[in-house]
Structures are given as C-alpha cells and as structure tokens.
Amino acid sequence: MKNIIKIGIVGYGNLGRGVEFAIKQNPDMQLAAIFTRRDPKTLVVADNSVKVLSIADAEQYKDDIDVLILCGGSATDLPVQGPQFAKMFNTVDSFDTHAKIPEYFEAVDEAAKSNNNLSIISVGWDPGLFSMNRLLSQCVLPEGNDYTFWGRGVSQGHSDAIRRIEGVQGAVQYTIPIDSALEKVRSGENPELTTREKHIRDCYVVAKEGADKAKIENEIKTMPNYFSDYDTNVTFISEEELKANHSEMPHGGFVIRSGKTGEDNKHNQIIEFSLKLDSNPELTGSVLVAYARAIHRLSNEGATGAKTVFDIPLAYLSPKSGEELRKQLL
Amino acid sequence: MKNIIKIGIVGYGNLGRGVEFAIKQNPDMQLAAIFTRRDPKTLVVADNSVKVLSIADAEQYKDDIDVLILCGGSATDLPVQGPQFAKMFNTVDSFDTHAKIPEYFEAVDEAAKSNNNLSIISVGWDPGLFSMNRLLSQCVLPEGNDYTFWGRGVSQGHSDAIRRIEGVQGAVQYTIPIDSALEKVRSGENPELTTREKHIRDCYVVAKEGADKAKIENEIKTMPNYFSDYDTNVTFISEEELKANHSEMPHGGFVIRSGKTGEDNKHNQIIEFSLKLDSNPELTGSVLVAYARAIHRLSNEGATGAKTVFDIPLAYLSPKSGEELRKQLL
C-alpha cells in the first residue's frame, strides 16, 4: 500500500480502544500516536509499539498525522476538544448530544475552515448509521412514520443513575425493545406507541451489605425520566455475578420506516435497519475509522470545514476504486 | 415551492406507474410528461391531466424537463435508451443486469459527459439500497461475511420460466428466504450456506384443461438453474384463484453483514438491512424519484457524467437543508 493513512487517537477509554482495534483491520491505515490526559507512562495500550503522548503535545505532531480521531465524551470533552483540534488537524468525532449538534457543528466548522482542515462530527451509530437510515428511508418513503428502538444494550446513563442511589454498590441497566411493539411496526399498522410500550428496563443491582433492598427497588422504579415511565425489572445479584455476567457492553437497535405508496396509498412498504452488537464501543470505533478514510481523501481533494454523515458519498469510505465498487458491490 | 423539479417518464409499465405515484408524494416535483412507444392516445395513466407523448418526440421537450426517469427493462430497453437519452437529458434509471453494469456505466458516462448532462444508473433496491448497505457495512466491518436473502417476493424470471412449460396457462413464483438460515446468520455463526439452504421456491400454477399435472410439476422441479438446486413447492390452483390471490407484486429481502471486532476478534457485530414490500415496482419507483432530486441538484452545481448510488451524499436526496437535516435527523 503506497499511501498509508496515519491516524491519531485522542482519549483512550473504551472508544479509544475500539478505534485502536479497528485500525488494525484496515491495512491502508496506521496508528501513529495515542494522546492522553493521563500520564502517558501509565497507559497500557493494546499494541505497545504505539507512541503514547501527552495531549498537551499534540500540536507538535500536526505533520505526522493525517486524521485525528477524538474519543472523548460529549458532555465536557468534545465541546472543547472538537473546535480546538479542528484548528490543527483533520478530525473525526462521535459527538452525540443530539440537541446541541447544530451549535457544535458551527463551532467545529468555523475552526476547521479557517485553518483549511476538514472535520466530520457525530459519527457512530446513533448519531451515525441510524441517522443515515432515517434520512434515506424518509426520502424514499415521504409518507410514513419513523420508529427507533434501542437495545438490547447497556445504557451507561441509566446504570449511573442506579449507582447514585444510597445503598447501591454496583449496577448495570439493559434497555430492551419490546418484541410485540416491533412486530406491530413491521406489520405496517403504524401504531402510536407510548414510552412504556416500546422498551423495558432491566436492572442488575449489587446492594451494599445491610442495605434495604425493597427501598432501593422502589427508588429505581419510581425515578422520574429514567424509570418511572417504563416497566422496570430489578434483580439483585452478587458483585461476582455482576463482574462475570455483566461486564460486556452489548447494544444495538432498530430504525424502521413504515410507509405507504401507490393508488390510494394502499401498499405498505417497510424499510428496516438494525444492529446487534457484542461491543458498542468497538462498533462505534469501527465507524469512526471508516469515516477517517473518507475525511483523508476529501481533505486531499481540498474540502474544508465541518461535515456530517449526510454529506459524504459512501464510495469515500472504501479503499476500493469506483470501478471496483461498481463491479463487485453494485 | 419556488423551484419545482420537472420530471419526465420514459416507459409506462409497472415501474413507470410506480414513479408516477411517487412523484405525487413529493411536493417539490411535478410530472411533466410520459413518453411511450405505444400510441399515446391508448395509454390510460393515473393522472389524466399529464401529457402523454410519443417517445420519438422526446427531444423536443429537452427544455421542459429537468430529469428524465427511464422505466424500461434492462435486457433490451436500457442498453439503448440509457446512452441515447443521456445525450439529451439528465437521467435516472434502474439498470439491474449486475454483470453488465461496468460497460453500461461507461456508455452512459460518455454520452452524458459529452453533452454536459448528469445521469445516475442502477438505482432501486438491488442494485440500489442493498448495494449501499453492502458497501457501508463492509467498510465498517472489514473482517466478516456478507449475506443477501431475497423475498418473500415474486420473481418475474422464474414465473416466466414456468409459463413456458407445455400445459401451463398461468403461474406465479415466490422466492422465500429460509428462516432458520437467517437466524443462523444473525447469531454470528458465519455459516456457509448452499443455495438450497437459503431460499425456497414456491410456485402457484394454473394448468390448461387436460394437461398432465404430474409432468408439469416434474418439469418445474428439475429445471436447471431455475429450480433444480432448490426445494421447490408446486401448488395447482384455478385461474380465478391466481387472479384473486397472486396478482400483487410483493418483494423484499435482507442484507446482513456478520463481522468481528476487538481483541482476538472476540466480538460479533451484526448489521442488517431489510425490506418488506407490498409493491416492488412502487418502492423501486420511489427510490428513483428520490435520486431524481439529487441529480437535479448536482446538475445545477455543474456535475456531469454518470454516477451511482455510491457517489451521492444522502443529503442530496432530501428537500431539506443541511441545517434542517442536522437538527432533525442526525
């Protein structure tokens, strides 16, 4: 391969590790460096031949890195890091606070454009692959309804909410889509579904010694926003069981468009996209890496500013030529 | 709406009608004319205020039509019409002879480019939406396997093959994916599936009076390429039943990517896209119409030549602005 794409990672949590593994599956890419806020010497990375550096030194590596993948969180890291690194590098991130995407886009666009860099924001699966399918299926079927179901998967936010309850030592919460609701949607019925009808919340909780389990269960089930609008199951388990059976990060979900076409709109047309993931951060990392390729190529063509998954032709994600793609995949 | 996109249709069979219905669902579009090889006066169209014209007169309407949607067949119509009309109009077609896509692309590209027109070929669902999902999921999960299942749906080619058998008056063949194979794929097993393990062929046949049904059944089941590699069911029914229960054109299918990620590739990741269509030609027509919008916009930006679904950013399919899309759908 002549032109290896040199990738940098900022932030080495679950997502950063997911990106590291994904890069290894793409022979046209190479991990050039991992930047961390921690003491670089303390970081144990999957491939110990990779440079681990302080995030403060990133700017010095501007010329050694084609695309920087930002693996920080959306709450506090990315709002600062997105615009900051877009001034120095081409960037890819997974900013996922849906309500704040417009302002984040503007900030990154401004920073990237004024420095002739190219960034793509909000890459992953939701926002990301799910958004692409919402857009595509709405354009194909303008008359219809959208349904998104999440799970079965771990919700970090809901697990954290349980952990903050007094007497709780550990907890994992799974969001589970309700099969009968999915089936109703797939049948073309176009049902109106309440929150309770779409998802179950399944909680595995380790109580501290002597804690009042009935009280914990009640606090979970009545917690507004997080649990009170759902049918919630609470199961108390041991610390060992939590570690043994609930330390993976599965997730997934379904985006379904149920539309109508033809004379008197008599025909039901269902478009469905779904994910079943053993590892949420590894899939997200894999999507980020595919878009890093696209950003590298578009940047070489002179594009600047901020983009989203809506703006990039699919061909740019692939190492194959247009000719190969038409022959093999169309 | 200020800039209505004026669409022309060439060929008014099932697909042409599907396009006609789809245009009505898109308020930024208008059907300007239908061109036919038949005597225009004999054509009964859904909206009788629409101009019906001879295909021979199409060139005179060059300035009245923004995008021409070619609804002819891939065997004999499109190889001629594609390059021919790409010289005069921006075009969209559903050319679906997979093996001949590269040469068809070249012919349309040359014709469009040398006349400053823009064409997109092979739009629909396979090739089309299925191809897009194959490409996207391969790029996200480079280590894995692709599976495509078709159905439950009517196969025109297989139905025609049965109708050519002596003693057969009418027939409809449904291709049906086998659930247990689908479930194996979804489980992440990465099975190797034979032809017989993936699809069943279900045939509804009307025999002529006095015909030898056992002989017909045997001829169907042993027909090479079409049926002999499959488990095939043959059910004899009356002409009335065929008309009453088998005159619709349902179809659909599944594109599944089963990949692996992470340390020692230990995590299964499944990406699935599926369609469940009451009307195959109406869904195909709806996809063609969405891409007509993209072609109109890209042509206004100065693009020329031939494109495929791999080359068009999804945002171009939508009447909404980038800002609206980021806010509402990302």
Side-chain angles (χ1 to χ4, degrees):
Chain A
M1 196 70 63
K2 278 171 297 185
N3 293 305
I4 297 285
I5 307 170
K6 286 164 285 173
I7 307 283
I9 292 175
V10 173
Y12 193 72
N14 290 319
L15 180 57
R17 275 177 72 85
V19 168
E20 186 183 12
F21 286 122
I23 291 168
K24 286 187 208 204
Q25 294 189 341
N26 289 280
D28 61 338
M29 299 192 186
Q30 191 190 317
L31 178 54
I34 296 170
F35 298 99
T36 177
R37 268 183 307 222
R38 291 177 264 174
D39 176 355
K41 285 192 286 293
T42 65
L43 220 65
V44 180
V45 303
D47 176 354
N48 54 25
S49 72
V50 170
K51 267 187 236 153
V52 181
L53 302 163
S54 165
I55 198 169
D57 299 331
E59 192 164 7
Q60 299 169 30
Y61 295 85
K62 267 172 68 166
D63 299 333
D64 303 320
I65 287 171
D66 295 313
V67 184
L68 196 64
I69 303 185
L70 309 181
C71 299
S74 297
T76 56
D77 299 334
L78 292 176
V80 176
Q81 291 177 353
Q84 177 192 341
F85 286 111
K87 287 181 188 154
M88 313 174 211
F89 296 90
N90 295 324
T91 67
V92 178
D93 72 51
S94 63
F95 185 78
D96 68 357
T97 312
H98 289 261
K100 292 189 174 165
I101 284 175
E103 61 183 279
Y104 182 70
F105 179 88
E106 294 303 330
V108 174
D109 188 48
E110 159 72 23
K113 225 173 235 161
S114 52
N115 292 278
N116 287 318
N117 289 322
L118 182 65
S119 295
I120 182 165
I121 69 158
S122 301
V123 175
W125 58 273
D126 196 359
L129 305 183
F130 273 21
S131 323
M132 294 163 78
N133 277 278
R134 280 191 284 262
L135 172 53
L136 177 59
S137 60
Q138 278 190 17
C139 293
V140 170
L141 296 172
E143 299 188 10
N145 291 304
D146 281 320
Y147 297 87
T148 302
F149 292 83
W150 291 274
R152 178 184 181 258
V154 173
S155 162
Q156 220 50 64
H158 288 78
S159 301
D160 288 344
I162 300 174
R163 286 186 208 113
R164 284 191 294 264
I165 293 172
E166 204 192 314
V168 170
Q169 184 172 308
V172 169
Q173 191 265 192
Y174 297 92
T175 306
I176 303 174
I178 296 175
D179 279 340
S180 58
L182 267 169
E183 285 314 316
K184 250 187 211 164
V185 170
R186 287 185 182 130
S187 75
E189 273 185 47
N190 282 294
E192 285 197 24
L193 297 167
T194 63
T195 298
R196 191 178 301 275
E197 287 169 329
K198 289 182 71 186
H199 296 96
I200 287 170
R201 300 208 171 273
D202 206 10
C203 312
Y204 294 84
V205 182
V206 181
K208 288 183 182 157
E209 224 181 293
D212 181 343
K213 291 183 180 174
K215 190 164 166 269
I216 291 172
E217 179 165 345
N218 185 58
E219 275 197 52
I220 296 172
K221 290 187 171 175
T222 58
M223 195 185 295
N225 302 319
Y226 285 88
F227 294 101
S228 63
D229 294 336
Y230 298 85
D231 287 335
T232 300
N233 304 322
V234 177
T235 308
F236 288 95
I237 59 175
S238 68
E239 181 73 36
E240 295 68 44
E241 221 181 315
L242 190 78
K243 273 192 190 139
N245 301 334
H246 303 283
S247 58
E248 293 280 341
M249 283 167 288
H251 220 311
F254 305 80
V255 173
I256 304 176
R257 178 80 176 168
S258 172
K260 306 266 183 190
T261 63
E263 195 159 25
D264 306 322
N265 272 352
K266 73 177 168 184
H267 289 129
N268 290 327
Q269 311 274 29
I270 309 284
I271 302 179
E272 176 169 342
F273 179 79
S274 68
L275 297 171
K276 203 175 91 183
L277 312 174
D278 278 358
S279 167
N280 180 357
E282 284 171 13
L283 191 281
T284 304
S286 297
V287 182
L288 292 173
V289 166
Y291 276 93
R293 179 181 293 116
I295 287 302
H296 177 63
R297 291 172 59 186
L298 279 165
S299 169
N300 281 346
E301 291 176 14
T304 64
K307 303 270 180 194
T308 76
V309 291
F310 298 155
D311 305 315
I312 313 269
L314 294 176
Y316 280 83
L317 303 180
S318 173
K320 295 182 177 176
S321 71
E323 215 167 349
E324 289 171 307
L325 293 178
R326 287 191 294 274
K327 194 171 172 176
Q328 297 166 15
L329 291 177
L330 196 67
Chain B
M1 196 72 61
K2 279 172 296 185
N3 293 306
I4 297 286
I5 307 170
K6 285 162 284 173
I7 307 284
I9 292 174
V10 173
Y12 194 72
N14 289 320
L15 180 57
R17 275 178 73 86
V19 168
E20 185 183 14
F21 286 122
I23 290 168
K24 287 187 206 205
Q25 294 189 340
N26 289 279
D28 60 338
M29 298 191 186
Q30 191 189 318
L31 178 55
I34 294 170
F35 298 100
T36 178
R37 268 185 307 224
R38 291 176 264 173
D39 177 354
K41 286 191 286 293
T42 66
L43 219 64
V44 180
V45 303
D47 175 355
N48 55 23
S49 71
V50 170
K51 268 186 235 154
V52 180
L53 303 162
S54 166
I55 198 169
D57 298 331
E59 191 164 7
Q60 299 169 31
Y61 295 86
K62 266 172 69 167
D63 300 332
D64 303 320
I65 287 170
D66 295 312
V67 183
L68 196 63
I69 302 184
L70 309 181
C71 300
S74 297
T76 55
D77 297 335
L78 292 176
V80 176
Q81 292 178 353
Q84 176 192 343
F85 286 111
K87 287 182 187 154
M88 313 173 211
F89 295 90
N90 295 324
T91 66
V92 177
D93 73 52
S94 63
F95 185 78
D96 67 358
T97 311
H98 290 261
K100 293 190 174 164
I101 284 175
E103 61 183 277
Y104 183 69
F105 179 88
E106 294 304 330
V108 174
D109 188 49
E110 158 71 24
K113 226 173 234 160
S114 54
N115 293 278
N116 286 318
N117 290 322
L118 181 64
S119 293
I120 182 165
I121 69 157
S122 300
V123 176
W125 59 272
D126 196 359
L129 305 184
F130 273 21
S131 325
M132 294 163 77
N133 277 278
R134 281 191 283 263
L135 172 53
L136 177 59
S137 59
Q138 278 190 17
C139 293
V140 170
L141 296 172
E143 298 188 11
N145 292 304
D146 281 319
Y147 296 88
T148 302
F149 293 83
W150 291 273
R152 180 183 181 263
V154 174
S155 163
Q156 220 51 63
H158 288 79
S159 302
D160 287 344
I162 301 174
R163 286 185 209 115
R164 285 191 294 265
I165 293 173
E166 203 192 315
V168 170
Q169 183 172 310
V172 170
Q173 192 265 192
Y174 298 93
T175 306
I176 303 175
I178 296 176
D179 279 340
S180 58
L182 266 169
E183 286 313 316
K184 253 188 209 162
V185 170
R186 288 185 182 129
S187 76
E189 273 185 46
N190 282 294
E192 285 197 26
L193 297 166
T194 63
T195 299
R196 192 178 299 276
E197 287 169 328
K198 288 182 72 186
H199 297 96
I200 286 169
R201 301 210 170 272
D202 206 12
C203 312
Y204 294 85
V205 181
V206 181
K208 288 183 182 157
E209 225 180 290
D212 181 343
K213 290 183 180 174
K215 190 163 167 271
I216 291 172
E217 180 165 343
N218 184 58
E219 274 197 51
I220 295 172
K221 290 186 171 175
T222 58
M223 195 186 295
N225 302 319
Y226 286 87
F227 294 101
S228 62
D229 295 335
Y230 298 84
D231 288 336
T232 301
N233 304 323
V234 177
T235 308
F236 288 94
I237 58 175
S238 67
E239 182 73 37
E240 295 69 43
E241 221 180 317
L242 191 78
K243 273 194 190 138
N245 301 335
H246 303 282
S247 56
E248 294 281 340
M249 283 166 287
H251 220 310
F254 305 81
V255 173
I256 304 176
R257 178 81 176 167
S258 172
K260 305 267 184 190
T261 63
E263 198 160 20
D264 306 324
N265 272 352
K266 72 177 170 185
H267 290 130
N268 291 327
Q269 312 273 30
I270 309 284
I271 303 179
E272 176 169 343
F273 179 79
S274 68
L275 296 171
K276 203 175 92 184
L277 311 174
D278 278 359
S279 167
N280 180 357
E282 285 171 13
L283 192 281
T284 303
S286 297
V287 182
L288 292 173
V289 165
Y291 276 93
R293 178 182 293 116
I295 286 303
H296 177 62
R297 290 172 60 187
L298 278 165
S299 169
N300 281 347
E301 291 176 14
T304 64
K307 304 269 179 194
T308 76
V309 290
F310 298 154
D311 306 313
I312 312 269
L314 295 176
Y316 281 83
L317 303 179
S318 172
K320 294 182 177 176
S321 71
E323 216 168 349
E324 288 171 308
L325 293 177
R326 288 191 293 276
K327 192 169 173 176
Q328 297 166 14
L329 290 177
L330 195 68

